[in-house]
């Protein structure tokens, strides 16, 4: 069995170069299924996310999320107070880089009938083909669909962002999907926000 840990309502499977075998990958996806259906499913009732960690690029600088949020709040207050356009995509990119919150993800939505298959394909892609990265899938029992997030370490590495999208097409994700920066999530930039900024960096 692969190394799987239950961490604060997350099920996380850690695989490295040695343990990323087809047997371990298939064992993980068959025993921890995001649909929560079928016999032998080991997902606990309180689980919110199931994740695979195949290793991310090491960055000695920590993400400074609290400082990012404080800087964003300062800018957003002046934006609303004075009517000045202080919140732009380029400014938010600078904040994300300044406070080292540069990760981002392609987001795939799937219904309960198809999510196990799509998730298994994503895990195989991350572990056996790309041999790097992080992916997660929601597992909320109250929801009728699931979201799969497949990550890159640095949104400024456009070549890597686009290569991941190309790889997702290779496993059958051909409909348009969105890429969102984690910094936007931390700053609360969602669809229909008051600043008129799209939460999607790419949609393809």
């Amino acid at each position: 069995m692969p190394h799987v840990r239950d961490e604060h309502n997350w099920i996380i499977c850690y695989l490295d170069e040695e343990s990323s075998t087809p047997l371990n990958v298939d064992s993980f996806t068959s025993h921890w299924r995001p649909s929560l259906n079928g016999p032998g499913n080991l997902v606990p009732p309180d689980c919110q996310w199931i994740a695979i960690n195949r290793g991310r690029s090491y960055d000695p600088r920590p993400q400074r999320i609290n400082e990012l949020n404080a800087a964003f709040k300062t800018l957003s207050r002046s934006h609303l107070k004075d009517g000045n356009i202080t919140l732009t995509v380029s400014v938010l990119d600078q904040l994300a880089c300044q406070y080292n919150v540069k990760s981002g993800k392609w987001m795939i939505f799937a219904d309960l009938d198809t999510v196990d298959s799509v998730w298994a394909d994503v895990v195989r892609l991350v572990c056996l083909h790309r041999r790097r990265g992080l992916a997660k899938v929601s597992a909320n029992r109250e929801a009728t669909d699931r979201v799969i997030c497949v990550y890159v370490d640095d949104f400024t590495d456009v070549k890597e962002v686009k290569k991941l999208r190309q790889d997702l097409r290779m496993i059958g994700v051909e409909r348009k999907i969105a890429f969102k920066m984690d910094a936007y999530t931390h700053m609360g930039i969602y669809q229909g926000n008051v600043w008129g900024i799209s939460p999607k960096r790419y949609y393809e």
Side-chain angles (χ1 to χ4, degrees):
M1 294 288 285
H3 177 51
V4 178
R5 294 172 58 180
D6 188 341
E7 302 180 9
H8 309 291
N9 299 332
W10 283 57
I11 291 295
I12 306 178
C13 179
Y14 294 90
L15 293 175
D16 55 22
E17 190 67 25
E18 182 178 356
S19 59
S20 282
T21 65
L23 180 62
N24 277 341
V25 167
D26 290 343
S27 177
F28 171 63
T29 56
S30 63
H31 285 90
W32 285 271
R33 298 188 297 277
S35 71
L36 311 178
N37 294 328
N41 198 339
L42 301 180
V43 178
D46 59 350
C47 180
Q48 297 296 310
W49 293 97
I50 303 168
I52 184 75
N53 189 332
R54 180 56 178 82
R56 307 180 72 173
S57 300
Y58 175 69
D59 190 335
R61 300 168 301 163
Q63 290 190 334
R64 296 155 58 191
I65 295 172
N66 290 338
E67 294 172 75
L68 170 73
N69 288 336
F72 172 75
K73 287 179 181 177
T74 299
L75 281 175
S76 64
R77 281 195 298 266
S78 65
H79 178 91
L80 294 175
K81 179 180 178 181
D82 303 326
N84 297 322
I85 304 178
T86 57
L87 290 180
T88 63
V89 170
S90 61
V91 167
L92 295 180
D93 284 0
Q94 291 172 21
L95 286 180
C97 293
Q98 180 180 350
Y99 297 108
N100 199 39
V101 186
K102 298 195 292 183
S103 54
K105 65 267 187 181
W106 288 103
M107 304 170 66
I108 307 164
F109 289 88
D111 59 32
L112 295 181
D113 292 333
T114 61
V115 66
D116 289 347
S117 175
V118 178
W119 171 240
D121 288 342
V122 167
V123 174
R124 292 188 196 101
L125 174 70
V126 170
C127 294
L128 302 177
H129 175 71
R130 290 175 60 82
R131 308 190 74 81
R132 65 186 186 279
L134 176 73
K136 68 180 184 181
V137 58
S138 60
N140 188 333
R141 292 179 182 272
E142 305 301 321
T144 58
D145 60 3
R146 300 287 187 259
V147 59
I148 298 171
C149 301
V150 192
Y151 285 83
V152 297
D153 294 325
D154 185 352
F155 75 89
T156 67
D157 187 349
V158 177
K159 183 178 180 181
E160 174 68 1
V161 172
K162 299 288 187 173
K163 178 62 169 64
L164 176 55
R165 181 64 189 98
Q166 179 181 340
D167 289 344
L168 290 170
R169 289 192 185 93
M170 183 183 70
I171 63 169
V173 184
E174 298 180 350
R175 66 183 184 279
K176 286 188 174 183
I177 58 174
F179 179 86
K180 185 178 181 181
M181 297 159 49
D182 283 350
Y184 277 25
T185 300
H186 291 302
M187 292 185 288
I189 298 176
Y190 295 99
Q191 196 69 35
N193 61 81
V194 297
W195 307 286
I197 296 174
S198 172
K200 303 171 184 177
R201 175 52 53 93
Y202 306 108
Y203 184 64
E204 57 185 56

